[in-house]
Amino acid sequence: MQQYDNQQHEFTPQDVEIVSKETLFRGFFKMVKYTFRHKLFEGGWSKPIEREMFERGHAAALLPYDPIRDEVVIVEQIRVGALEHENPWQYEIVAGIIDTDESPEQVARREAVEEAGVEVTHVLPITSYYPSSGGCSEKLDVMVGCVDATTAKGVHGLDYEGEDIRVQVMSREQAYQLVQQGVFENGATIIALQWLQLNYLDLQSKWKE
């Protein structure tokens, strides 16, 4: 069995040749068609491969957590990707696309105010990941932020973006139970709440001071 090296991949970006790149659609998001070939694990190069890719850029997501009350702030809004599924209204943590010169943390702090009406005092990174790298370029930075959950209430969002976002405050334990029950269907939300369940005691010791 080959020894797994967790420090680096065998291949690098130099082992891919982009033959062509064509923009198929440009609207609120963009669709691009790539033709590329790459080195193979057993030697040689692949044949040219054609793939359409949904390009939506980089994004940031933040789980607002109150370490004093041991509560999280969750937002609820309609999502086009779920329009024809079981329920288009989704429970999520706050998030936004990075389409300015702001850092991921700055975007997360701003979105916490815009979507949930809460100010974030401390931020800690959790992870970065590709939600669906088989056909989408998006990479998501996931963070947890310290907030006062008593200030989270009401309906928020930007009118010019058609946002209608309702705030929900629940205990950490209740939120994790909803993860276990499959109520949360958003990847970043599930990841953040699972991480919190493993690390909330450390956060409380840091952020209660």
Side-chain angles (χ1 to χ4, degrees):
M1 180 179 295
Q2 182 177 354
Q3 184 70 26
Y4 173 64
D5 183 355
N6 63 356
Q7 298 301 313
Q8 63 182 22
H9 292 287
E10 178 180 350
F11 295 139
T12 70
Q14 284 68 46
D15 297 312
V16 179
E17 178 191 356
I18 298 177
V19 178
S20 64
K21 178 180 176 181
E22 177 188 0
T23 299
L24 302 178
F25 173 81
R26 186 189 297 271
F28 187 76
F29 297 116
K30 187 167 70 171
M31 182 70 73
V32 176
K33 180 179 180 179
Y34 279 96
T35 302
F36 65 97
R37 65 191 196 109
H38 62 87
K39 284 187 177 179
L40 300 171
F41 289 121
E42 294 185 337
W45 285 76
S46 71
K47 296 178 180 179
I49 300 169
E50 293 185 351
R51 291 288 186 272
E52 291 80 27
M53 187 194 72
F54 179 44
E55 188 171 295
R56 55 172 291 152
H58 201 38
L62 181 136
L63 171 62
Y65 176 60
D66 185 331
I68 305 297
R69 302 173 64 86
D70 198 21
E71 293 177 335
V72 297
V73 179
I74 301 295
V75 296
E76 180 185 9
Q77 60 184 315
I78 193 167
R79 288 305 203 185
V80 65
L83 277 183
E84 297 190 59
H85 297 165
E86 186 173 341
N87 193 338
W89 276 267
Q90 298 281 295
Y91 292 115
E92 303 174 348
I93 58 177
V94 299
I97 297 172
I98 303 172
D99 55 4
T100 65
D101 292 333
E102 294 174 296
S103 68
E105 179 177 329
Q106 289 172 326
V107 170
R109 287 176 177 271
R110 174 172 53 78
E111 292 291 340
V113 175
E114 292 178 3
E115 294 189 352
V118 292
E119 296 283 348
V120 179
T121 58
H122 305 290
V123 173
L124 188 67
I126 294 177
T127 191
S128 295
Y129 76 103
Y130 291 97
S132 185
S133 60
C136 180
S137 65
E138 180 184 25
K139 190 172 186 180
L140 192 61
D141 285 331
V142 184
M143 294 160 262
V144 60
C146 183
V147 302
D148 178 358
T150 64
T151 64
K153 61 189 69 174
V155 176
H156 300 268
L158 301 177
D159 289 340
Y160 68 86
E161 291 188 359
E163 294 179 330
D164 181 51
I165 304 170
R166 184 169 65 177
V167 172
Q168 306 274 2
V169 177
M170 61 186 71
S171 70
R172 171 191 49 79
E173 290 184 349
Q174 180 185 2
Y176 187 63
Q177 287 174 359
L178 294 179
V179 171
Q180 293 178 306
Q181 295 167 8
V183 173
F184 291 113
E185 299 178 300
N186 173 267
T189 303
I190 296 169
I191 289 170
L193 289 171
Q194 288 179 329
W195 182 93
L196 180 64
Q197 188 68 12
L198 294 172
N199 296 277
Y200 72 93
L201 291 176
D202 287 340
L203 280 186
Q204 289 177 358
S205 65
K206 291 178 182 178
W207 289 350
K208 281 184 177 180
E209 299 174 355

